[in-house]
Amino acid sequence: PVDFLSSVKSHRAASLVLRRLLATYESLDRAALCHLLERVLLEEFRDEQHCLELVLSNSLTQDIIVFCRISTREVSQTQNDLCPASTCTAPIVGESDGNAVASGNADSDSSEIGLARLL
């Protein structure tokens, strides 16, 4: 049904249907929402004046933008949780630190060095 909208995009009612579909953004899976936003809205409908008036100028668009930004932060936070800065101590290629081994506390020193590199 979504791809059918592209064939009737010149009709004002198509933008109304698209807006109704976009209004379900919170319950859509990521792939479906991306398809609606990227393919249907930003590729197919972007040149239609009624799309500007009925969809893009609607407060729903701002709500979707905020939702996408928050979702992106959640993904970023999940990645950080998998490898927090204090435990990611892989050395920079070509560098080595003899002090960490010599001090007898390699884990602590290498964690601090790894964190310092990230900061």
Side-chain angles (χ1 to χ4, degrees):
V2 173
D3 292 324
F4 172 74
L5 284 176
S6 298
S7 64
V8 294
K9 68 182 178 183
S10 62
H11 299 280
R12 188 173 179 86
S15 285
L16 290 171
V17 171
L18 177 58
R19 188 174 71 193
R20 287 184 187 148
L21 288 171
L22 288 170
T24 65
Y25 66 93
E26 290 179 300
S27 63
L28 294 173
D29 63 39
R30 180 168 281 149
L33 180 58
C34 286
H35 179 74
L36 271 176
L37 293 173
E38 293 174 359
R39 173 102 166 100
V40 179
L41 178 63
L42 297 177
E43 286 181 20
E44 299 293 333
F45 276 74
R46 70 176 176 206
D47 294 329
E48 300 295 332
Q49 182 63 33
H50 52 78
C51 178
L52 175 65
E53 296 166 359
L54 298 173
V55 181
L56 295 173
S57 297
N58 192 283
S59 63
L60 172 65
T61 303
Q62 185 175 5
D63 295 341
I64 292 171
I65 291 169
V66 170
F67 175 80
C68 290
R69 288 190 56 123
I70 290 170
S71 297
T72 302
R73 285 187 195 141
E74 289 173 1
V75 169
S76 177
Q77 182 60 41
T78 301
Q79 289 174 347
N80 287 340
D81 289 345
L82 293 175
C83 185
S86 63
T87 62
C88 290
T89 59
I92 297 174
V93 175
E95 263 188 47
S96 64
D97 182 27
N99 294 333
V101 175
S103 71
N105 194 0
D107 290 338
S108 174
D109 290 345
S110 64
S111 293
E112 290 173 10
I113 292 166
L115 182 57
R117 285 186 190 139
L118 292 173
L119 298 174

